Amino acid sequence: LAPHSFTSRSVWRRYASATMPKGLEMPELEEKGTVSLYSRTDLIKTLTEYYCDALPAAGMHEDHFWTNIRIILCIFCCAFGCYAQFGAKFPQDKVPIMACVAGYFLVSGIIAVMDWLFVQNSVFYFKIGEESVFLDVDLPNFSDMATISLRSKRKRVSHETSVGKYFDSEGLLCQESVWKDFVNLLGEYEKKDTGKKDSNAKKEK
């Protein structure tokens, strides 16, 4: 991540405010930042915290479906582990213990597959109308290019930009820039089906 990619907060505040799209209002939140501009984990964590605070504050309704599924599966894992540790005695209960170990790894595998196939790089899961949509944040190792995506079963839109656009030289998050890109991406997501419908209507004529 190149140091020159980070600019002063005042510059980005003026730029983002001037180009902010109309419609969804940006919520007022406390300042967020990172102590390490070169830590991929810290940068993603700061962006995640912002989205998780800003979207509900702006009226977006979070969908807890996958979170609830994960909690239920984790409860099963804990139940298997607790019974094997405290409820069974070795070697008398060797078969139940083996069953608990197998069950633990089976459920853990289901969670891993669920994360790989569905959750992926999601940091927030919310409703757009009747549709549930994942908000993904991806920042590859040794790269300053972050990809912000909105993804559902039917469609996906993405926006790639330097993560230096979102943080100033002191490590503070430029909320105006993050919000501006999210609103633009949301508009692109909502228009994607409209474009298809218009083209299909023209073909029918």
Side-chain angles (χ1 to χ4, degrees):
L1 195 60
H4 64 266
S5 63
F6 298 101
T7 55
S8 67
R9 185 171 182 80
S10 59
V11 172
W12 274 119
R13 183 181 291 275
R14 289 196 299 269
Y15 167 77
S17 298
T19 57
M20 186 74 69
K22 297 180 179 179
L24 199 62
E25 292 187 3
M26 186 183 78
E28 295 184 6
L29 303 176
E30 294 182 357
E31 286 190 342
K32 300 181 183 294
T34 176
V35 295
S36 176
L37 289 171
Y38 298 93
S39 171
R40 173 182 180 272
T41 302
D42 287 352
L43 294 174
I44 293 178
K45 179 182 177 183
T46 303
L47 287 170
T48 300
E49 289 176 350
Y50 174 74
Y51 285 125
C52 289
D53 290 344
L55 298 191
M60 297 287 187
H61 298 288
E62 185 174 3
D63 190 335
H64 298 282
F65 175 78
W66 291 109
T67 303
N68 292 337
I69 294 296
R70 171 181 275 276
I71 290 173
I72 292 171
L73 293 175
C74 287
I75 289 174
F76 279 111
C77 282
C78 292
F80 285 133
C82 287
Y83 179 79
Q85 181 68 29
F86 303 109
K89 294 183 179 180
F90 187 83
Q92 295 92 331
D93 299 324
K94 183 166 61 175
V95 174
I97 291 174
M98 291 176 64
C100 287
V101 171
Y104 178 88
F105 282 104
L106 175 63
V107 177
S108 296
I110 293 173
I111 294 174
V113 171
M114 183 183 75
D115 287 345
W116 179 54
L117 291 178
F118 302 105
V119 180
Q120 299 179 23
N121 296 312
S122 173
V123 299
F124 196 75
Y125 189 50
F126 64 105
K127 291 279 190 180
I128 298 179
E130 298 298 322
E131 187 174 40
S132 295
V133 179
F134 288 101
L135 171 61
D136 295 341
V137 176
D138 185 29
L139 179 61
N141 291 320
F142 313 113
S143 173
D144 69 318
M145 299 305 293
T147 302
I148 313 299
S149 305
L150 290 177
R151 166 176 56 89
S152 66
K153 294 179 180 178
R154 299 186 301 110
K155 53 185 175 177
R156 178 192 184 105
V157 294
S158 300
H159 173 69
E160 187 177 41
T161 187
S162 171
V163 74
K165 177 182 175 182
Y166 295 151
F167 294 88
D168 67 9
S169 56
E170 297 178 351
L172 292 176
L173 183 69
C174 183
Q175 299 182 17
E176 293 85 357
S177 296
V178 179
W179 187 254
K180 170 181 173 292
D181 284 351
F182 171 77
V183 173
N184 286 336
L185 191 64
L186 184 62
E188 184 181 344
Y189 180 88
E190 292 175 337
K191 290 178 182 177
K192 192 167 184 179
D193 271 357
T194 304
K196 290 182 179 179
K197 290 177 181 178
D198 291 343
S199 61
N200 290 336
K202 290 180 181 179
K203 288 180 182 179
E204 290 177 359
K205 290 181 180 179

